[in-house]
Amino acid sequence: MDLHTVWTIARKELRDALHNRWFLLYTLAFIGLSLGLSYLAMSGSGIAGFAGFGRTAASLINLVLLIVPLMALTVGAQSLAGEQERKTMAYLLAQPITRLEVYVGKYLGLTMSLFASLVLGFGISGLVLAIDGSGASDPWSYLILVGLAFALCLVMLSVGFLVSALTRRAGVAVGIGLFLWLAFVFLGDLGMMGTAVAMRMPINGLFWLSLANPLQVFKMAAILNINATLDVLGPAGIFAMQEYGSKLPLIFIGVLVIWAVLPGVAAFVRFDTSNDF
Amino acid sequence: MIHFEHLTKTFGRYRAVDDLSLDVKPQQAVALWGPNGAGKTTVIKCLLGLLRYEGRITLNGFDARTQGRQARSLLGYVPQELAFYDDMKTLESGYYFAQLKRADMARVPLVMAQVGLADHGAKPVRALSGGMKQRLALALALLADPPVLVLDEPTSSLDTAARSQFLNLLCQVKAEGKTIIFTSHRIEEVEALADEVLIMDTGKVIGRCPAYRLAEEAGLRTQVKLIIAPDKLDAALHVLKADGFTVRRNGVGVLVDVLPREKAQPIHSLSRADIHITDFEVE
Amino acid sequence: MFRPNFAAILPPSLVAVTLCVLLTRSAHGVAARADAPAFDLQAMIAQAAPGDVIAVPPGTYAAPLLIDKSVTLEGNGAAILQGDGSGNVVHITAPGVTLRGFALRGTGLSLDREDAAVRVSAADVTVEDNQIDDALFGIYYENAPRGVIRGNTVVGMDLLESRRGDGLKLFYSADTLVEGNTLQETRDAIVWYSPGTIVRGNVMEHGRYGLHFMSTDNHIIENNVLRGNSVGIYLMYGSNYTVRNNLLADNRGPSGYGLGLKETNRATIEGNRFVNDRVGVYSDSSPLRPDAVVTFRNNLFAFNEIALVLLPNVRHNVYTENVFLENGEQLSIAGGGELAQNEWALDGRGNYWSDYHGFDGDGDAIGDMPYVSQSLYEDMAARHPELRLFQLSPAADAIDLAAKAFPIFAPRPLLEDPHPLTRPPALPPVSGMAPPPVALNLVVALLLLAAATVVLTLGLRSFMPRDTPSTLRTSIN
């Protein structure tokens, strides 16, 4: 793999993302909503005389759960299928470069664009919170929150790439991406809620089942980071704390890594063996 | 330079290319000629490593499948469907692909000038005309000064004026000593550029010959439409049939099937019979 | 800690003892001041007369020590009482003793014996300004009424919560004053059958129950800081409590209550700040009798996961002029069900709810529409606690959204405040909350923005070489 080539493609991909109106829309939405949360935190600290960063962080987690998968799935789904649809992929692959370089370059470029979007949102709201004096009591936990959101970005980007590698048209890929977003964000959890109530699932089973949804994993990891406990999550959270305790961060990060790597590798394999340009 | 050994490409049960073998020598220009669906473009895509195939393709000894990067670094490709990054500037596109090809950056403006795009560097690619885009494609193909050019229907999307301009450019490039493999369904293009022609149909090579013999070899026909006053139409049909032409009536005129170099023959026949031709078209 | 000038207030007998001490020390030379001073504390007590003040010179003294005479022991913060790790360090059996200014350590490890740093079994004993480290039990008053426990610091052992002892335990010790103490990493501070005890200005951190009252009546609990415990204050089986101006923050874990009430009658909970607890107030069967009202007035419930968790058996509670600010949930009814016979406003004054969406047309700072707390997801989570796993999930919001769109799914309102306040009432000033590190937060935010700028600059950079004329380099887009 030639790093110069990868970097050239990554820069191109980043450049395209910054010109992609969906990407800009999501970024603006993310910044706007996180600013809104900062404003709420400020009005809260105005009344109480101090801020409760835990609640602000909880709202940020909620916001990340909603927007980050949407953003990453959409750009990921467009990545390969979009160029294929515009026929530029065949031209690109006809250059003296390998498919691995194209894939890694695109992944890296989109990763950078999502990173920029994420740190812009977190940076601006962090700035507002800091100036207002209602920021995190432990700045590290804020950075870790950003890091976890970024990990979720990578997971969703990989899933998006997989969708993109399996479809030929960008429109279809984005449609499937949006459906997956719905599934990850709403349908999966609603289904699990229904199952938990209807089947009287034991809480350990519920906890392990919830690890199947990377959004849940991000959420639990983020709550653990901010609160140092999962008691907010009721019996299942308390069970997890008592049963796995200090191993939990490792479990969460491990699951996120698996979620980022497996679809990403599968997408590459599909792309590398694709016969359809 | 380029060797195809028993190249076969199947899509399901359909054989797009069936056992093609070809040896392109250095500085030779070889055309793949045939109607749409003959498998010409598929051969090119196999050469570029875009498709999996059976058989073997090598460029200067590099296997196109297992040493794709080295093989592709020897060739510049002008695709049939031009697909550039539309929002990039013309010159910037040049620099971008020069970086991907690891070409000398200093060559970018030179090549742009060579294809006559020096004054259009600041335009985004989407603002270029079809002819300019085609020239940009050629410029990008030439960036790293590769020994081989691969052209897929190089003039199919151009109008007449742009076509001859572009063909001239290609002839210059050829004169510089490039090896060229290209597909075409235009006989004049093949005659102008190629040394040797492979005639393809439904995936099979059905003939090969020097380029100047293509028309005869292929039994190529042209249709000439002659517009004739309505009261003379039957007489004209009769005369032409008597002179051995394949002819049929078509609206206000007749359609005559001729060899490309004998397009004037039916006109002569009718003149001899004193049948007045008001107009004609070549299709 | 402020210490008055020692010599200026010495009573005559103390001067005598001090002289004696000085003599003893000089007689034994430098060696006597080493780790095991020749000053025999136990013998000194035996020799002293009731009412004597014994000033103990700096040094480490072997314990256990039995104080069976009504004397005052002054350690001046430099005398160390080192237990042998079996049983109590100091046992006070005489009334009127004062133990002041010592460092105590080395209790036993037996929870059955309740090994304590200071064990008191006599009335009117003062334990003051002592530093107690690594203690199983810290200060334990048993059948020792009218004591004063003031200005002590107790740090517990580094054990599992369940294997620790109580930092402070009062058992059948009525009318005790507990003031200005700091307890850290112990189990509970428990007040048991000790009516009339006042607990004021203490800090209880990182324990199980910050303050635990069992079967005991008539207490004032004020100006304490209860932070980082499983439960801040737990009131059980008692009556007549005034709980005011305490800070109950960061109390989390499986129970995680700021204040817990169980079968508590007649309590006034006023001016407290419940901040960042898992649950602000948890209440079960309080009060037991309709006339023994529990009143919550002018408290701040801010940034808790749930402000109030009430069992359906909670009735005759009054909530007025409280501020419910940015809690994850304002109210949850444990196990589901309905609340009844509680008042959410008094004399036309309700509470401030940060999620109130009504308006105040007549400008009297009281909303014209009642505040109604109603959420389908919260209702489900109250019935099926395992569903709390989906807390903060957008799916939980979706459930509530659906319930709003299709009122047929809407649950019964949990509470209705008929006179919600549209402006938060004035609250007692907040202390004890550490402000976030502004400068460091600024640095972090600026770092993030710098990272964004780097990536954005990179993405907007052209592929042209740097020496290309600028007219060609500027992007068309």
Side-chain angles (χ1 to χ4, degrees):
Chain A
M1 192 165 62
D2 182 291
L3 291 181
H4 175 268
T5 306
V6 169
W7 184 241
T8 305
I9 294 172
R11 275 181 56 202
K12 171 73 172 61
E13 201 65 25
L14 172 62
R15 182 195 138 102
D16 287 354
L18 300 187
H19 291 125
N20 179 327
R21 73 183 66 133
W22 287 111
F23 179 78
L24 294 179
L25 191 72
Y26 293 145
T27 303
L28 284 179
F30 183 63
I31 293 173
L33 289 171
S34 55
L35 264 179
L37 294 180
S38 316
Y39 172 74
L40 268 181
M42 285 166 67
S43 63
S45 73
I47 293 170
F50 55 88
F53 179 70
R55 290 306 310 165
T56 309
S59 310
L60 278 171
I61 292 169
N62 195 254
L63 177 65
V64 166
L65 284 172
L66 206 59
I67 288 197
V68 162
L70 189 63
M71 188 153 69
L73 278 171
T74 316
V75 297
Q78 286 177 331
S79 60
L80 302 171
E83 279 223 38
Q84 194 164 357
E85 192 179 73
R86 290 192 301 272
K87 310 285 183 192
T88 50
M89 183 62 90
Y91 188 65
L92 189 61
L93 293 178
Q95 308 303 322
I97 56 182
T98 64
R99 292 193 190 188
L100 181 64
E101 286 158 4
V102 172
Y103 184 85
V104 175
K106 280 183 165 290
Y107 195 98
L108 181 64
L110 289 180
T111 299
M112 288 194 293
S113 65
L114 292 170
F115 175 79
S117 169
L118 211 58
V119 292
L120 205 59
F122 273 102
I124 290 177
S125 61
L127 192 66
V128 171
L129 290 172
I131 291 172
D132 180 58
S134 48
S137 48
D138 177 10
W140 264 117
S141 66
Y142 194 69
L143 277 180
I144 292 173
L145 180 62
V146 178
L148 288 170
F150 182 57
L152 181 64
C153 249
L154 293 184
V155 168
M156 289 294 140
L157 185 62
S158 292
V159 174
F161 261 88
L162 183 56
V163 171
S164 204
L166 291 172
T167 36
R168 226 161 293 163
R169 298 175 58 81
V172 176
V174 170
I176 296 174
L178 288 178
F179 173 77
L180 284 180
W181 173 76
L182 217 58
F184 279 125
V185 175
F186 296 109
L187 304 181
D189 283 4
L190 290 175
M192 252 194 291
M193 285 187 201
T195 316
V197 172
M199 316 256 304
R200 300 185 180 282
M201 189 183 287
I203 48 171
N204 56 350
L206 190 62
F207 171 73
W208 280 106
L209 190 61
S210 72
L211 291 183
N213 186 346
L215 268 69
Q216 284 285 348
V217 179
F218 157 77
K219 186 190 78 181
M220 291 191 272
I223 290 175
L224 191 62
N225 164 46
I226 297 291
N227 288 350
T229 152
L230 292 180
D231 56 17
V232 182
L233 301 178
I238 290 162
F239 158 80
M241 282 304 287
Q242 286 172 348
E243 199 70 19
Y244 306 110
S246 57
K247 291 196 205 84
L248 278 176
L250 273 181
I251 293 176
F252 293 150
I253 289 170
V255 173
L256 287 177
V257 166
I258 290 171
W259 260 105
V261 169
L262 284 188
V265 168
F268 172 69
V269 169
R270 176 78 178 92
F271 174 63
D272 195 40
T273 55
S274 180
N275 200 12
D276 192 22
F277 298 103
Chain B
M1 191 85 211
I2 314 173
H3 296 278
F4 294 86
E5 289 170 35
H6 306 294
L7 175 67
T8 298
K9 172 68 197 171
T10 53
F11 292 104
R13 262 194 266 161
Y14 173 64
R15 286 180 170 257
V17 179
D18 194 356
D19 196 24
L20 178 142
S21 291
L22 171 65
D23 189 5
V24 183
K25 293 177 186 64
Q27 310 204 355
Q28 197 187 17
V30 172
L32 302 174
W33 185 84
N36 287 335
K40 304 172 308 234
T41 300
T42 306
V43 174
I44 299 293
K45 288 188 168 177
C46 292
L47 172 63
L48 294 169
L50 296 177
L51 297 176
R52 272 174 294 168
Y53 54 84
E54 293 154 54
R56 191 171 137 88
I57 306 173
T58 58
L59 278 107
N60 261 4
F62 292 117
D63 189 302
R65 183 175 14 220
T66 56
Q67 296 166 294
R69 182 213 297 276
Q70 291 93 326
R72 284 193 293 277
S73 69
L74 295 173
L75 51 86
Y77 167 55
V78 177
Q80 178 178 10
E81 290 175 90
L82 293 182
F84 302 114
Y85 300 111
D86 276 347
D87 56 342
M88 248 190 186
K89 284 183 182 178
T90 306
L91 188 56
E92 193 182 6
S93 283
Y95 281 112
Y96 174 60
F97 283 101
Q99 288 187 32
L100 284 186
K101 291 170 191 278
R102 312 300 294 261
D104 179 5
M105 292 293 131
R107 265 183 68 81
V108 176
L110 298 179
V111 174
M112 288 289 175
Q114 188 188 351
V115 301
L117 287 175
D119 297 336
H120 304 284
K123 284 186 189 166
V125 174
R126 79 171 98 79
L128 297 181
S129 70
M132 287 194 233
K133 280 188 186 169
Q134 196 75 20
R135 281 184 273 150
L136 174 61
L138 180 62
L140 297 182
L142 292 172
L143 275 173
D145 198 15
V148 178
L149 271 186
V150 179
L151 314 167
D152 195 3
E153 299 281 356
T155 67
S156 64
S157 61
L158 302 180
D159 60 29
T160 320
R163 185 178 296 155
S164 66
Q165 206 183 8
F166 193 69
L167 263 178
N168 280 337
L169 206 51
L170 289 178
C171 289
Q172 280 173 34
V173 171
K174 188 193 170 198
E176 288 168 16
K178 302 277 185 217
T179 307
I180 298 177
I181 178 166
F182 71 103
T183 70
S184 180
H185 65 277
R186 288 183 180 282
I187 195 145
E188 60 274 26
E189 200 169 274
V190 174
E191 285 174 344
L193 194 59
D195 302 317
E196 194 181 344
V197 191
L198 256 67
I199 303 166
M200 294 185 68
D201 195 17
T202 57
K204 292 194 177 64
V205 178
I206 55 172
R208 54 179 81 191
C209 64
Y212 65 87
R213 293 206 50 216
L214 173 61
E216 292 159 53
E217 197 75 17
L220 200 74
R221 314 297 286 186
T222 299
Q223 294 209 313
V224 179
K225 185 176 184 183
L226 303 168
I227 314 294
I228 294 157
D231 56 328
K232 294 283 173 68
L233 262 177
D234 288 335
L237 280 170
H238 185 74
V239 168
L240 290 169
K241 277 181 184 161
D243 283 356
F245 291 103
T246 309
V247 62
R248 64 189 166 90
R249 200 177 170 137
N250 180 293
V252 292
V254 293
L255 270 177
V256 195
D257 212 26
V258 294
L259 279 170
R261 354 182 139 179
E262 297 172 355
K263 289 194 277 286
Q265 290 299 334
I267 300 174
H268 285 301
S269 287
L270 291 177
S271 309
R272 279 197 299 271
D274 253 352
I275 295 171
H276 183 63
I277 303 164
T278 49
D279 195 2
F280 75 97
E281 290 168 18
V282 180
E283 296 183 356
Chain C
M1 199 168 292
F2 174 68
R3 294 271 170 78
N5 185 325
F6 184 52
I9 54 166
L10 287 184
S13 64
L14 179 61
V15 175
V17 173
T18 308
L19 283 175
C20 165
V21 167
L22 290 174
L23 286 172
T24 317
R25 276 174 61 193
S26 58
H28 286 79
V30 178
R33 279 190 284 149
D35 281 338
F39 184 80
D40 186 338
L41 212 47
Q42 195 65 66
M44 212 58 229
I45 293 168
Q47 289 165 23
D52 275 357
V53 176
I54 305 175
V56 181
T60 302
Y61 301 89
L65 184 70
L66 178 68
I67 306 178
D68 50 3
K69 204 171 279 178
S70 305
V71 293
T72 293
L73 256 63
E74 288 279 4
N76 282 307
I80 300 167
L81 297 178
Q82 176 70 53
D84 59 3
S86 70
N88 305 312
V89 179
V90 174
H91 191 184
I92 299 172
T93 56
V97 167
T98 296
L99 180 74
R100 181 184 292 129
F102 286 89
L104 297 97
R105 52 182 77 137
T107 67
L109 279 164
S110 166
L111 282 173
D112 292 340
R113 281 198 312 262
E114 300 182 302
D115 294 338
V118 180
R119 182 153 191 148
V120 179
S121 24
D124 302 306
V125 170
T126 298
V127 175
E128 195 169 20
D129 295 342
N130 299 291
Q131 172 74 40
I132 299 170
D133 284 303
D134 209 22
L136 188 68
F137 280 65
I139 300 168
Y140 183 5
Y141 276 51
E142 187 181 14
N143 293 309
R146 295 183 306 280
V148 174
I149 303 167
R150 183 187 287 137
N152 303 286
T153 299
V154 180
V155 181
M157 286 182 175
D158 188 14
L159 293 172
L160 281 178
E161 220 170 58
S162 55
R163 306 207 24 225
R164 294 182 197 162
D166 298 327
L168 174 69
K169 181 170 180 178
L170 304 184
F171 195 67
Y172 287 105
S173 302
D175 300 316
T176 304
L177 174 65
V178 179
E179 192 172 43
N181 302 284
T182 299
L183 269 61
Q184 287 168 331
E185 276 95 36
T186 69
R187 188 172 64 188
D188 304 348
I190 183 164
V191 178
W192 210 335
Y193 305 125
S194 303
T197 291
I198 294 172
V199 181
R200 178 184 291 144
N202 303 282
V203 176
M204 278 87 174
E205 289 177 319
H206 312 301
R208 187 180 67 175
Y209 294 172
L211 275 165
H212 189 189
F213 291 79
M214 283 283 283
S215 309
T216 173
D217 304 330
N218 305 323
H219 294 286
I220 294 173
I221 305 159
E222 61 186 1
N223 295 327
N224 301 288
V225 172
L226 293 309
R227 186 171 20 216
N229 307 289
S230 287
V231 176
I233 302 176
Y234 218 141
L235 309 181
M236 290 184 179
Y237 318 116
S239 54
N240 288 338
Y241 286 91
T242 299
V243 181
R244 67 183 165 221
N245 299 350
N246 301 286
L247 171 65
L248 305 103
D250 309 329
N251 297 296
R252 289 187 167 268
S255 38
Y257 311 142
L259 170 66
L261 299 167
K262 187 166 176 61
E263 299 187 20
T264 299
N265 288 313
R266 263 197 305 281
T268 301
I269 321 293
E270 194 171 13
N272 301 287
R273 282 124 33 217
F274 299 90
V275 178
N276 195 33
D277 299 315
R278 187 182 78 88
V279 171
V281 168
Y282 171 86
S283 183
D284 175 11
S285 318
S286 302
L288 283 174
R289 299 191 314 273
D291 60 324
V293 173
V294 174
T295 304
F296 290 86
R297 181 185 291 119
N298 206 212
N299 300 287
L300 169 68
F301 296 87
F303 318 123
N304 305 290
E305 304 304 335
I306 312 174
L308 304 173
V309 173
L310 308 180
L311 264 70
N313 58 21
V314 171
R315 294 174 188 187
H316 312 293
N317 281 15
V318 176
Y319 296 85
T320 180
E321 298 199 307
N322 299 289
V323 173
F324 292 88
L325 180 70
E326 298 294 325
N327 300 293
E329 290 176 38
Q330 308 287 32
L331 169 64
S332 180
I333 301 172
E338 278 180 67
L339 280 178
Q341 295 174 282
N342 296 293
E343 304 295 331
W344 296 95
L346 185 65
D347 302 329
R349 305 270 304 158
N351 304 276
Y352 177 84
W353 308 88
S354 59
D355 58 339
Y356 177 60
H357 295 303
F359 49 86
D360 173 25
D362 48 9
D364 61 354
I366 289 174
D368 297 349
M369 288 156 50
Y371 167 82
V372 177
S373 179
Q374 182 181 33
S375 151
L376 179 56
Y377 165 71
E378 288 173 14
D379 186 66
M380 287 164 59
R383 286 171 214 278
H384 304 280
E386 68 271 20
L387 291 186
R388 288 204 186 277
L389 183 58
F390 300 95
Q391 201 81 6
L392 303 184
S393 289
D397 303 329
I399 288 179
D400 280 341
L401 206 66
K404 282 207 179 79
F406 307 101
I408 188 166
F409 295 122
R412 228 182 283 262
L414 293 179
L415 75 90
E416 190 171 322
D417 179 342
H419 307 293
L421 309 180
T422 55
R423 282 198 294 271
L427 294 164
V430 176
S431 61
M433 289 300 295
V438 173
L440 213 51
N441 277 331
L442 269 178
V443 168
V444 165
L446 291 175
L447 267 179
L448 291 176
L449 289 176
T453 313
V454 167
V455 177
L456 291 178
T457 316
L458 189 69
L460 294 173
R461 221 174 73 196
S462 158
F463 285 98
M464 305 262 194
R466 284 176 203 283
D467 53 0
T468 317
S470 60
T471 47
L472 291 175
R473 293 185 58 190
T474 47
S475 179
I476 291 279
N477 299 278

